[in-house]
Amino acid sequence: MKENNTVTPARKPVPAHHPDHQHKPGEKQDHKHSHDHGQSCDHGHAHTMMIFGKNTELYFSLLCGTLLGIAWLLGNTIAISQTASLSLLLGAYFFGGFFTTKEAIQTIAKGGFEIDFLMLVAAIGAAILGKWEEGALLLFLFSLGHSLEHYAMDKARKSISALASLAPKTALLKTNGTTTEVDTSVLKAGDIIVVRPNTKISADGIVVAGTSSVNQAPITGESVPVDKMQVDNPAAALQHDNIDARYKVYSGSINGNGSLEVMVSQAASDSTISRLVKMVNEAQSQKSPTQQFTDKFQRIFVPSVLTLVVVLCFAFLVIDESFGASFYRAMAVLVAASPCALAISTPSAVLSGVARAARMGVLIKGGRPLEDLGTLTAVAFDKTGTLTEGRPTLTQVIPMNGLSENELLQAAVAVEALSDHPLAKAIVRDGKTRLGNQSIPEAQQLEAVLGKGIKATWQQQPVYIGNLALFEALDTQLPSQELRTRVQELERAGNTTMIVRKGDVYAGIIAVMDTPRAEAAEALKALKNTGIRRMIMLTGDNQQVADAVAREIGITDAWGSLLPEQKVAAIQKLAKDEHKVAMVGDGVNDAPAMANSTVGIAMGAAGSDVALETADIALMGDKLSLLPFAIGLSRTASSIIKQNLWISLGMVAVLIPLTITGIASIGPAVMAHEGSTLIVVFNGLRLLAYKGPRAEALG
């Protein structure tokens, strides 16, 4: 019976629910949210009065400058009354000081202290001394600088908030053969949604009908669409975390030309993109080591400046000048010494770096891992699933004693098809691929032999498959020296070997191996080019296998036969030797080792709740090529932060002596002050356009 796939009118939309992030029992709770309002120039306050819309602050600043310009122009071209001039300047003070006063009052009411207050004091002081023009110029430049600063920082924040818009607001819910357009917030696990061709997928889930290629770049950073197909048992698949990527889809990814039906795996508020947005927003509040240093510096510097300003107010008692001149000099020093650029130098770079990384499918949880990543000289990798594919692959088929490759494969596939061992499944899967559509007679009577292999009957003959130890203990028909030599050569190359004997004839050797990822060698080469000196592979496999993989992909150190607790000890030793070391793994089995590393990096985190929570940095796509990009971005961010510190501290170091000696007045001081602030902000925003190692290949 043909299904009715008409779309009925939408239900009344239900407002999306975005609960605050809460840690489940046992989860890491080291997210230190900083909401202190110390002296700062990062004005993130919402302006409730928006006469001219979101750009009201900029328009007010321009009005201030216009009134100041008119007052100066008329005063120098035609004679106007003092009242008219003062009225224009008062208007300039009002528009230039409106938001500055508003923010200062809000902060002081909360027990905080901001640079806005100091600027107001300086402007009022200039007015008291009769220097209205200089006070208005100060407010104009200060308000203009801050409105441009807000605009620039909002650009970085919008880059992050754009992630939230990736997920569609509605979905086509299929119920009893009928599809209904509903708000995504009403979807629950087990619901079936229809995804039409070339539309965004509305929820995380499992494909239960249809095939298509899906563009996952917005979530994982993968530039090539990924083929998706329906899973055999959807209900069982929902109960398991390790679902093959071919069956999983993510909210916000883009469907290709095929139509899909998807079983929802979790509510919209718990989808991968929702968790990503929450964590990126949390990351903005995580202070980096440099920002913590600048905060400590300001706690000492600001009181020192205020003390100096008070002392300078009484300079007239020591030198031959009026109180007005001393007070004016003190106000100029106050403006010059205000650490506005210093306060914003690190947050602007961190915010931009986190936003840029998120767009590439790399979740960096704050300033500390962003900076730490750029200082690494050593990176440790788990082998299985990180440097390798994570599943055995048939690598060698070597027939002997006159048999063909097809005959050897048919015997191996027929017997191994009766076994549920992972290596047997690999032989059957890849063997059938090599044989094509050939019909293979079935084997019977599978049994284990001495725990070293298996035996079955195939084509009226016994077939044995196992290791050398099996055949050395089986009977007097021992393997030849040639066969033994080939086995040893294959095992030295990292293969797991199985000898196949049909009756009394040794048919040949089958070899399987967890092969290196296709991009592993290139990614490690890119890491070396970014300055990583040591790349260490940690694995539970024997040292022979570890060495073979290391030679193939370019690992500098291979440490094999490690138990989980020995991996932790290895990381601790590396941290002692190299001072800082990263651990790259799946974020689940490697969690203890990651916890002991400087930076824990989880691969393929898009489908893993645990990885998203435990790692400092999560590579949403299952691609090693994201790692050189992340490290390159971090190094660039660290460089920009250092540049910003030199600019901000250098400007203060130059301006303070100039204003104390009277060489620079309030006007030039505020120009330099606001100019340096804008320079460090826009310097930080350069990270939004960062193109680094493998960035082009990743999209």
Side-chain angles (χ1 to χ4, degrees), residues 23-351:
H23 294 280
K24 298 175 183 178
E27 288 183 350
K28 291 175 71 175
Q29 301 188 35
D30 57 350
H31 305 302
K32 299 173 184 175
H33 303 277
S34 175
H35 300 288
D36 57 289
H37 291 270
Q39 184 174 356
S40 167
C41 297
D42 183 16
H43 304 292
H45 309 289
H47 299 307
T48 54
M49 180 179 176
M50 291 293 178
I51 297 174
F52 300 115
K54 63 181 180 180
N55 294 320
T56 299
E57 185 178 11
L58 176 61
Y59 292 140
F60 270 35
S61 176
L62 294 176
L63 281 171
C64 170
T66 301
L67 293 173
L68 172 61
I70 292 172
W72 179 86
L73 185 65
L74 294 179
N76 286 275
T77 54
I78 61 175
I80 61 169
S81 67
Q82 187 175 359
T83 302
S85 176
L86 185 60
S87 297
L88 289 170
L89 292 171
L90 281 172
Y93 260 67
F94 171 79
F95 288 111
F98 181 84
F99 284 106
T100 303
T101 304
K102 190 172 185 293
E103 290 180 357
I105 291 172
Q106 289 174 344
T107 306
I108 291 171
K110 295 175 183 177
F113 182 68
E114 282 198 1
I115 195 69
D116 305 74
F117 176 73
L118 299 183
M119 290 299 177
L120 282 174
V121 170
I124 293 169
I128 292 172
L129 296 174
K131 298 183 180 291
W132 286 89
E133 292 85 355
E134 289 206 41
L137 178 63
L138 184 156
L139 290 174
F140 166 59
L141 293 174
F142 185 73
S143 60
L144 179 63
H146 276 272
S147 61
L148 291 175
E149 176 192 323
H150 294 161
Y151 171 80
M153 293 296 283
D154 283 345
K155 184 177 180 182
R157 292 189 178 100
K158 284 176 183 176
S159 182
I160 289 177
S161 62
L163 291 171
S165 65
L166 290 175
K169 303 301 180 187
T170 61
L172 292 176
L173 177 65
K174 185 175 182 179
T175 309
N176 299 324
T178 301
T179 54
T180 307
E181 187 176 13
V182 300
D183 193 283
T184 54
S185 62
V186 306
L187 297 176
K188 60 185 184 298
D191 284 347
I192 303 295
I193 60 171
V194 175
V195 184
R196 289 173 173 166
N198 304 310
T199 61
K200 286 185 177 181
I201 296 173
S202 304
D204 286 7
I206 301 165
V207 178
V208 295
T211 59
S212 185
S213 60
V214 174
N215 179 3
Q216 297 184 159
I219 312 300
T220 65
E222 296 170 277
S223 58
V224 179
V226 181
D227 291 335
K228 302 293 180 180
M229 60 187 68
Q230 67 186 59
V231 69
D232 292 333
N233 190 339
L238 274 183
Q239 307 303 316
H240 298 282
D241 293 331
N242 297 323
I243 309 168
D244 194 294
R246 295 174 297 172
Y247 311 128
K248 290 191 298 186
V249 293
Y250 303 112
S251 175
S253 52
I254 304 164
N255 187 26
N257 294 325
S259 182
L260 298 175
E261 290 187 14
V262 175
M263 178 180 286
V264 177
S265 59
Q266 49 205 353
S269 58
D270 293 323
S271 69
T272 299
I273 188 64
S274 294
R275 295 199 307 275
L276 178 61
V277 171
K278 289 175 188 174
M279 289 181 177
V280 169
N281 284 325
E282 285 178 358
Q284 295 179 56
S285 66
Q286 309 303 311
K287 292 190 176 182
S288 70
T290 302
Q291 190 174 351
Q292 290 171 355
F293 162 75
T294 57
D295 288 348
K296 290 178 183 177
F297 175 79
Q298 287 184 83
R299 283 197 288 270
I300 300 171
F301 177 74
V302 171
S304 301
V305 168
L306 294 177
T307 302
L308 175 62
V309 168
V310 171
V311 170
L312 289 174
C313 285
F314 297 95
F316 70 94
L317 298 175
V318 180
I319 60 177
D320 185 20
E321 67 179 12
S322 66
F323 169 74
S326 294
F327 184 75
Y328 181 82
R329 180 190 292 108
M331 294 301 102
V333 171
L334 183 63
V335 172
S338 299
C340 211
L342 180 64
I344 201 67
S345 60
T346 303
S348 64
V350 169
L351 178 63

Side-chain angles (χ1 to χ4, degrees), residues 542-563:
N542 64 63
Q543 190 63 46
Q544 194 167 266
V545 171
D547 289 338
V549 174
R551 283 193 300 271
E552 185 171 350
I553 62 178
I555 281 285
T556 58
D557 301 78
W559 298 352
S561 304
L562 297 178
L563 297 172

